[in-house]
């Protein structure tokens, strides 16, 4: 995908379903940071990695026999975090297709997210334990370090034995982590000191999901009271969309917009920001409806409603660059939403004329002749004339325009920032070639070597052979 050739004036929301990915056990889905891969967590314990160009499965990761509860990508796309309902978190290395680290907790995992800058850290919110920050050791035999985060005085309710944190997400650069609680509060925790920097009470209902703006510092939450809340965050040292918050500024989390469906009063399955951060994308959990609502972030007005098949919506994801959404139905089918492309034929050439209806074209007799007789009686060789024109064009071109440099790549401003200095930012998942032959690759190679020797033997007149 060449991002420089995309239409900059294209609306940021899709219109209809373009493709369906048949994954009968899919529960959750998430796009990678560059949007080239789509990962789905399944109820049979597998995690599938889909290629967005070919819409085929590239990797099948076997987590366990327990149903997966969700997943999270690293910034580079090389590592992916999967967690299940048995309390097991696994970080996979897609380059080697091996397990990087495995951490077990005493209860099911409600939510887990990887650090947006450091692929060796992730936060976990167990159902009956306090949230934790996990740091992966550098060596292969090093044990991961698990640090509990006390976001309140009572991290675990002694009566219900349920943890107060229900969801989590990192800030844009991972300096802060945001935790939603069952008491309706949002806590901002500094990831270096693990201390609560700011807290705000949103409502008396539990916070179900929390997501950050990819182009700003604000967050959006969905609660059990069926209201979406957009919160503007001001924390020390954090960059906002307008300016950098000064060190002396008091931390604050302020609700700027409340969004709800007053007529139907539906529950929200997921609440996310669009790729530009100007819209709120939310999927509903209401009967047998597969609808996605798109709201304006500032005014809270409904911009568009995407209506799908009569299947309950489980989860949805937003492409980080293009107007593409992915939604998962209760039958495990993944629907890809996109815009219908508008063909503008006038953009191919300045003098190109678009026909409104078919016209009859009269072909001249000498159109395919090599030599054409002009009106003055002279003849013109069309092939020779074309060769001379190409030679003049090459000779008159500037030498600097003919040089092609394939060693230098332009940095995309959407993915370039001062903190993006990791070695695996340009990771590309390796392609695996699967052989249809029943024999293993080593056996096939040995048979080929036996049939065709590696040396070239040249026979001589005396019957001897000379090895080259």
């Amino acid at each position: 995908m060449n991002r420089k050739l995309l239409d900059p004036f294209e609306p940021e929301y899709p219109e209809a379903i373009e493709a369906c990915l048949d994954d009968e056990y899919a529960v959750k889905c998430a796009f990678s940071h560059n949007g080239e891969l789509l990962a789905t967590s399944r109820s049979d314990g597998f995690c599938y990695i889909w290629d967005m160009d070919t819409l085929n499965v590239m990797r099948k990761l076997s987590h366990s026999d327990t149903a997966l509860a969700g997943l999270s990508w690293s910034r580079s796309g090389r590592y992916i975090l999967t967690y299940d309902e048995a309390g097991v978190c696994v970080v996979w290395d897609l380059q080697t297709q091996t397990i990087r680290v495995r951490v077990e907790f005493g209860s099911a995992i409600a939510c887990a997210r990887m650090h947006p800058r450091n692929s060796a850290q992730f936060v976990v919110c167990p159902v009956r334990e306090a949230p934790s920050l996990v740091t992966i050791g550098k060596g292969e035999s090093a044990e991961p370090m698990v640090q509990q985060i006390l976001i309140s005085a009572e991290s675990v309710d002694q009566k219900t034995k349920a943890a107060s944190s229900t969801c989590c997400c990192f800030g844009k650069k991972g300096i802060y982590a945001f935790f939603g609680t069952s008491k309706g509060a949002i806590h901002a925790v500094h990831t270096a000191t693990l201390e609560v920097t700011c807290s705000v009470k949103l409502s008396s209902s539990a916070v179900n999901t929390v997501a950050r703006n990819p182009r700003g510092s604000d967050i959006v939450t969905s609660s059990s009271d069926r209201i979406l809340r957009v919160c503007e965050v001001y924390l020390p040292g954090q960059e906002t969309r307008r300016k950098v918050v000064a060190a002396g500024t008091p931390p604050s989390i302020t609700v700027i917009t409340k969004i709800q469906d007053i007529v139907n009063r539906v529950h929200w399955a997921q609440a996310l920001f669009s790729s530009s951060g100007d819209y709120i994308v939310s999927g509903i959990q209401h009967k047998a409806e597969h609808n996605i609502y798109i709201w304006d972030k500032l005014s809270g007005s409904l911009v568009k409603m995407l209506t799908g098949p009569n299947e309950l919506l489980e989860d949805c994801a937003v492409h980080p660059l293009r107007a593409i959404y992915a939604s998962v139905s209760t039958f495990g089918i993944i629907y890809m939403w996109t815009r219908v492309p508008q063909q503008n034929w006038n953009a191919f050439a300045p003098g190109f004329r678009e026909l409104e209806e078919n016209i009859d074209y009269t072909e001249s007799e000498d159109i395919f002749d090599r030599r054409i007789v002009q009106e003055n009686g002279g003849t013109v060789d069309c092939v020779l004339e074309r060769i001379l024109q190409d030679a003049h064009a090459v000779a008159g071109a500037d030498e600097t325009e003919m040089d092609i440099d394939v060693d230098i790549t332009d940095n995309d401003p959407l993915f370039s920032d001062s903190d993006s200095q990791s070695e695996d930012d340009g990771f590309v998942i390796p392609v695996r070639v699967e052989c249809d032959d029943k024999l293993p690759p080593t056996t096939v190679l040995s048979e080929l070597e036996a049939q065709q020797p590696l040396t070239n033997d040249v026979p001589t007149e005396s019957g001897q052979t000379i090895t080259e």
Side-chain angles (χ1 to χ4, degrees), residues 220-231:
V220 59
T221 64
S222 65
S223 304
S224 298
D225 58 359
R226 309 175 186 183
I227 298 178
L228 305 178
R229 293 175 175 85
V230 182
C231 303

Side-chain angles (χ1 to χ4, degrees), residues 111-218:
C111 184
R113 293 292 180 266
M114 291 203 71
H115 197 283
R117 292 295 184 271
N118 186 6
S119 60
Q121 286 186 343
F122 59 92
V123 292
V124 183
C125 292
V127 174
R128 301 187 182 278
E129 298 178 20
S132 302
L133 175 66
V134 181
T135 304
I136 304 174
K138 295 183 178 180
E140 296 182 357
S141 59
E143 294 292 333
M145 181 175 60
V146 181
Q147 298 173 286
Q148 285 194 346
I149 304 174
L150 301 178
I151 59 176
S152 61
E154 297 179 357
S155 297
V156 180
D157 193 350
Q158 299 299 327
K159 294 182 179 179
T160 61
K161 297 297 181 181
S164 60
S165 61
T166 56
C167 56
C168 62
C169 77
F170 278 100
K172 183 178 180 180
K173 295 190 176 181
I175 302 176
Y176 295 93
F178 300 94
F179 295 90
T181 66
S182 58
K183 303 298 180 62
I186 289 290
H187 302 278
V189 178
H190 199 283
T191 55
T193 61
L194 300 184
E195 296 180 357
V196 178
T197 305
C198 182
S199 300
V200 62
K201 180 79 171 180
L202 299 180
S203 65
S204 57
S205 303
V207 179
N208 296 328
T209 63
V210 57
R212 65 176 178 89
N213 189 346
R215 304 287 178 261
S217 60
D218 42 353

Side-chain angles (χ1 to χ4, degrees), residues 15-20 290 307-309 327 334-338:
E15 293 180 347
I17 296 176
E18 180 188 20
C20 298
H290 197 94
T307 304
S327 60
I334 306 168
Y335 295 100
M336 306 303 299
W337 303 76
T338 184

Side-chain angles (χ1 to χ4, degrees), residues 306-323:
L306 304 177
T307 304
N310 296 329
E311 301 174 5
L312 183 64
L313 188 143
E314 294 287 343
D315 190 25
C316 61
V318 178
H319 195 279
L321 286 177
R322 305 178 61 185

Side-chain angles (χ1 to χ4, degrees), residues 5-307:
L5 298 180
L6 298 180
D7 186 6
F9 303 103
E10 182 184 9
E12 301 177 18
Y13 43 84
E15 293 180 347
I17 296 176
E18 180 188 20
C20 298
L21 306 180
D22 192 2
D23 188 354
E24 54 180 329
Y25 297 105
V27 178
K28 300 288 183 179
C29 64
F31 284 100
S32 61
H33 182 70
N34 54 11
E36 296 179 356
L37 301 174
L38 175 69
T40 58
S41 59
R42 296 158 51 95
S43 58
D44 59 352
F46 278 82
C47 175
Y48 281 11
I49 309 296
W50 298 79
D51 184 15
M52 291 303 300
D53 293 332
T54 61
L55 298 182
N56 292 327
V57 179
M58 296 189 66
R59 291 289 187 274
K60 296 181 181 180
L61 308 177
S62 177
H63 179 95
S64 63
D65 297 335
T66 310
L68 293 181
L71 50 88
S72 177
W73 284 94
S74 66
R75 178 182 176 85
S76 62
R78 176 177 176 178
Y79 305 102
I80 185 171
L81 168 66
T82 58
Y83 53 95
D84 58 14
E85 298 178 355
V88 179
C89 293
V90 177
V91 178
W92 297 86
D93 187 354
L94 295 183
Q95 185 173 11
T96 59
Q97 200 176 354
T98 57
I99 296 177
R100 186 184 183 188
V101 70
R102 177 187 175 94
V103 183
E104 297 184 4
F105 293 88
S107 60
I109 307 298
C111 184
R113 293 292 180 266
M114 291 203 71
H115 197 283
R117 292 295 184 271
N118 186 6
S119 60
Q121 286 186 343
F122 59 92
V123 292
V124 183
C125 292
V127 174
R128 301 187 182 278
E129 298 178 20
S132 302
L133 175 66
V134 181
T135 304
I136 304 174
K138 295 183 178 180
E140 296 182 357
S141 59
E143 294 292 333
M145 181 175 60
V146 181
Q147 298 173 286
Q148 285 194 346
I149 304 174
L150 301 178
I151 59 176
S152 61
E154 297 179 357
S155 297
V156 180
D157 193 350
Q158 299 299 327
K159 294 182 179 179
T160 61
K161 297 297 181 181
S164 60
S165 61
T166 56
C167 56
C168 62
C169 77
F170 278 100
K172 183 178 180 180
K173 295 190 176 181
I175 302 176
Y176 295 93
F178 300 94
F179 295 90
T181 66
S182 58
K183 303 298 180 62
I186 289 290
H187 302 278
V189 178
H190 199 283
T191 55
T193 61
L194 300 184
E195 296 180 357
V196 178
T197 305
C198 182
S199 300
V200 62
K201 180 79 171 180
L202 299 180
S203 65
S204 57
S205 303
V207 179
N208 296 328
T209 63
V210 57
R212 65 176 178 89
N213 189 346
R215 304 287 178 261
S217 60
D218 42 353
I219 59 175
V220 59
T221 64
S222 65
S223 304
S224 298
D225 58 359
R226 309 175 186 183
I227 298 178
L228 305 178
R229 293 175 175 85
V230 182
C231 303
E232 194 170 15
V233 180
Y234 286 98
L235 297 174
Q238 185 177 13
E239 294 183 5
T240 63
R241 213 168 176 180
R242 303 190 183 108
K243 60 182 180 179
V244 179
V245 180
T249 305
S252 64
I253 301 176
T254 308
V255 179
I256 59 175
T257 308
K258 292 184 179 181
I259 302 172
Q260 61 177 332
D261 189 351
I262 304 177
V263 178
N264 298 322
R265 297 287 296 174
V266 296
H267 287 280
W268 305 106
Q270 186 64 267
L272 302 168
F273 282 94
S274 62
S275 58
S276 66
D278 296 332
Y279 300 97
I280 303 298
V281 181
S282 56
I284 67 171
Q285 275 186 334
H286 182 67
K287 299 180 180 179
E289 296 182 2
H290 197 94
N291 300 338
I292 298 177
Y293 290 73
I294 303 173
W295 312 83
D296 186 83
K297 183 184 70 172
L298 299 179
S299 63
S301 58
L302 181 64
V303 177
K304 190 176 182 61
M305 184 180 68
L306 304 177
T307 304

Side-chain angles (χ1 to χ4, degrees), residues 418-440:
S418 58
D419 289 351
S420 179
Q421 302 294 336
S422 59
E423 298 179 357
D424 52 358
D425 274 345
F427 170 75
V428 178
I429 186 170
V431 178
R432 298 180 58 195
V433 180
E434 297 182 358
C435 184
D436 294 337
D437 198 341
K438 297 181 180 180
L439 296 176

